[in-house]
Amino acid sequence: MYTSYIGLKFLAHYNQVTGNQYDAATFFDQVMFPVFFDNPRHLMHVSNSPFFQNPAAARIQTSGLTKSRLQYQDLVTKISKVAADPPEPPDASIYVGYAANGPDQTTAGQVTSLGLSITADDIYASWIGNALAARVEGSQCLLFERMDICWHIYQGWQVYRDYISPVAGMEGRQIETWNGYWLASGDTNTNPNPPIKNGKLDTVSWVEVLAKLTEWHPDEILPAYIFSLGQTNTTYGFINLHLHQIQRMKEAKFELKRRLMDDNGNDLFWKTYASSYSLYTACQQGEIGLRALKPRDFAKLMEGPFTPLKINPKNQNSFFHIQVWIIAMLNNKTELQVLAAALAAELVAAESTGPGAKRGKTSDSAEAKALFDAKGLVKFIEALTEFIDNRTSHTTLEVIRQVVDQSIRIPAEQFPLFKALIRFEYIMAKNTQPA
């Protein structure tokens, strides 16, 4: 079970960093229990575990222990039975991520069909591993083997306890959701300000988490184990995160940074970014890179029949996101952006001298519409040919020649993006021209 594997690997890293020689049971006793469970508000939820169940008041009184201590004692008893001879089979109430009713049931997750022996250390380690998972919007959890990421998440455990302790109405048992926030805010989380909804932590977007990971591993393909544990457990498996691709978006947005800052100078790009895909549908692509970050409003604003659009405070971020994504998808080729802007300028200028100009109109966009509604490369070039029919300007003809040349040269899958970039630059030019 992968939670156990990560838990044991982190434990070895923890011992190396701290100089301790803890086994998983000792780590749980000395580190996890005091922070996570030795408090009326627990930080972690494991369905049907002893910490999930409420012992009777009379039993608590007879034991002389606190409720949490008695629950912990029950956990130790259950785990000892798995390690006994003969052993009792484990289940998900003590072995986090294991099967509750057999490996073929909906409550099974991370379960191998191999007949492996399971030790008490494996079981305690599964709690450690699950406590290092980061939940994102959509309720999926990401678990990483990279120890710098796990160590960063571990450093947020005590902060989570300190954060909810003084807030009476704050619900606990959301360590994975906290980890998602803690991971997304990265090195800037010295003053925690997680999203709160109805007295509970709210999840951050998976895009924010990936964006932060690019700061630590900008040139890597980072594997993530993605899963969800709940009333039904879902295993998505190992998904490669192409952080080197996403890094291209960070490079592309550099010039737009000033447009995407709040009044305090904070970069809002990733906080306001929304992908067309949920993490679930992104995982269905088999790997996650730039294509999975296609902006949510791309189809509405950049695809389909062309209509003139106005940029306003409600949609301006969407336009900036679209521009950055297209440029990144085109591998940050500056010459394509310059050329798209040049053609857009020619289209806008033509509208001031076209048939509409004779009627005192400057909004005749028939030629632009014909260009943007063209289906495929051939129709696009035909629309460009019609555009230059009655034009003799050397500058205009040279721009058209270069656009055709680049449209033919770029890979076929990039042509729709190049056309979308021209459309974007046209919209920008229309919205910035003098009234």
Side-chain angles (χ1 to χ4, degrees), residues 73-93:
Q73 179 177 286
D74 290 343
L75 175 67
V76 172
T77 300
K78 282 194 168 189
I79 293 176
S80 66
K81 291 179 180 178
V82 175
D85 187 17
E88 288 189 4
D91 60 47
S93 70

Side-chain angles (χ1 to χ4, degrees), residues 14-32:
Y14 174 88
N15 285 336
Q16 182 181 15
V17 172
T18 63
N20 289 305
Q21 295 184 344
Y22 291 165
D23 59 14
T26 306
F27 181 90
F28 187 93
D29 181 77
Q30 297 295 313
V31 179
M32 281 195 70

Side-chain angles (χ1 to χ4, degrees), residues 18-327:
T18 63
N20 289 305
Q21 295 184 344
Y22 291 165
D23 59 14
T26 306
F27 181 90
F28 187 93
D29 181 77
Q30 297 295 313
V31 179
M32 281 195 70
F33 178 76
V35 177
F36 279 65
F37 301 110
D38 197 12
N39 187 292
R41 274 184 292 176
H42 299 166
L43 301 189
M44 184 173 172
H45 174 83
V46 177
S47 293
N48 298 319
S49 75
F51 291 115
F52 176 84
Q53 298 164 351
N54 289 314
R59 183 165 172 250
I60 295 173
Q61 185 175 7
T62 301
S63 71
L65 302 172
T66 65
K67 174 184 172 183
S68 294
R69 285 281 175 185
L70 182 56
Q71 290 171 316
Y72 181 22
Q73 179 177 286
D74 290 343
L75 175 67
V76 172
T77 300
K78 282 194 168 189
I79 293 176
S80 66
K81 291 179 180 178
V82 175
D85 187 17
E88 288 189 4
D91 60 47
S93 70
I94 58 172
Y95 195 1
V96 186
Y98 198 72
N101 298 304
D104 58 342
Q105 301 300 312
T106 59
T107 47
Q110 308 178 14
V111 183
T112 176
S113 57
L114 299 176
L116 302 178
S117 60
I118 296 170
T119 67
D121 231 34
D122 294 327
I123 296 175
Y124 284 111
S126 72
W127 289 72
I128 302 170
N130 192 72
L132 295 168
R135 189 181 304 279
V136 296
E137 186 179 15
S139 200
Q140 294 87 10
C141 288
L142 291 83
L143 197 52
F144 300 96
E145 191 173 348
R146 290 296 297 259
M147 285 300 104
D148 59 335
I149 299 173
C150 291
W151 187 262
H152 175 77
I153 291 173
Y154 157 73
Q155 290 177 312
W157 290 354
Q158 184 63 55
V159 183
Y160 178 34
R161 168 58 68 198
D162 295 340
Y163 180 80
I164 71 168
S165 291
V167 185
M170 178 67 67
E171 189 169 325
R173 298 185 175 185
Q174 289 189 273
I175 185 61
E176 300 96 336
T177 302
W178 172 268
N179 291 344
Y181 157 74
W182 187 256
L183 192 55
S185 54
D187 298 329
T188 62
N189 49 28
T190 51
N191 296 305
N193 185 29
I196 304 296
K197 186 176 181 179
N198 300 324
K200 297 179 65 174
L201 295 175
D202 201 8
T203 50
V204 299
S205 75
W206 61 272
V207 174
E208 278 190 77
V209 171
L210 265 62
K212 181 55 63 175
L213 291 173
T214 62
E215 294 182 11
W216 298 337
H217 304 287
D219 302 317
E220 294 190 24
I221 299 176
L222 184 69
Y225 185 81
I226 303 179
F227 65 100
S228 178
L229 300 180
Q231 291 184 338
T232 60
N233 296 339
T234 305
T235 300
Y236 298 79
F238 292 94
I239 303 294
N240 283 334
L241 309 179
H242 289 255
L243 302 182
H244 62 295
Q245 292 184 11
I246 298 167
Q247 178 66 14
R248 296 211 303 263
M249 285 190 71
K250 304 188 84 167
E251 295 165 358
K253 82 180 182 69
F254 180 77
E255 63 184 79
L256 298 174
K257 191 170 184 180
R258 292 183 181 179
R259 299 180 184 177
L260 298 165
M261 306 283 272
D262 64 14
D263 294 337
N264 297 318
N266 297 312
D267 187 354
L268 297 177
F269 183 83
W270 294 111
K271 286 189 175 298
T272 57
Y273 195 95
S275 169
S276 295
Y277 303 100
S278 67
L279 182 56
Y280 174 79
T281 53
C283 287
Q284 291 177 326
Q285 298 181 21
E287 56 187 12
I288 296 177
L290 272 175
R291 291 189 182 279
L293 267 64
K294 180 180 179 181
R296 179 177 295 169
D297 294 327
F298 184 85
K300 180 175 72 175
L301 299 176
M302 293 290 109
E303 297 177 330
F306 174 78
T307 55
L309 295 170
K310 291 290 185 183
I311 298 178
N312 55 55
K314 289 185 178 181
N315 65 22
Q316 64 180 355
N317 277 353
S318 293
F319 277 106
F320 295 147
H321 295 156
I322 286 169
Q323 182 186 22
V324 169
W325 182 75
I326 293 174
I327 293 171

Side-chain angles (χ1 to χ4, degrees), residues 330-344:
L330 293 172
N331 207 18
N332 294 349
K333 293 178 180 176
T334 305
E335 66 273 16
L336 294 182
Q337 186 179 8
V338 171
L339 192 55
L343 179 56

Side-chain angles (χ1 to χ4, degrees), residues 372-393:
F372 298 132
D373 285 348
K375 301 294 184 183
L377 177 59
V378 174
K379 293 295 184 183
F380 179 77
I381 293 175
E382 288 176 356
L384 285 174
T385 303
E386 290 182 17
F387 176 70
I388 64 173
D389 269 349
N390 295 312
R391 294 179 171 84
T392 58
S393 165

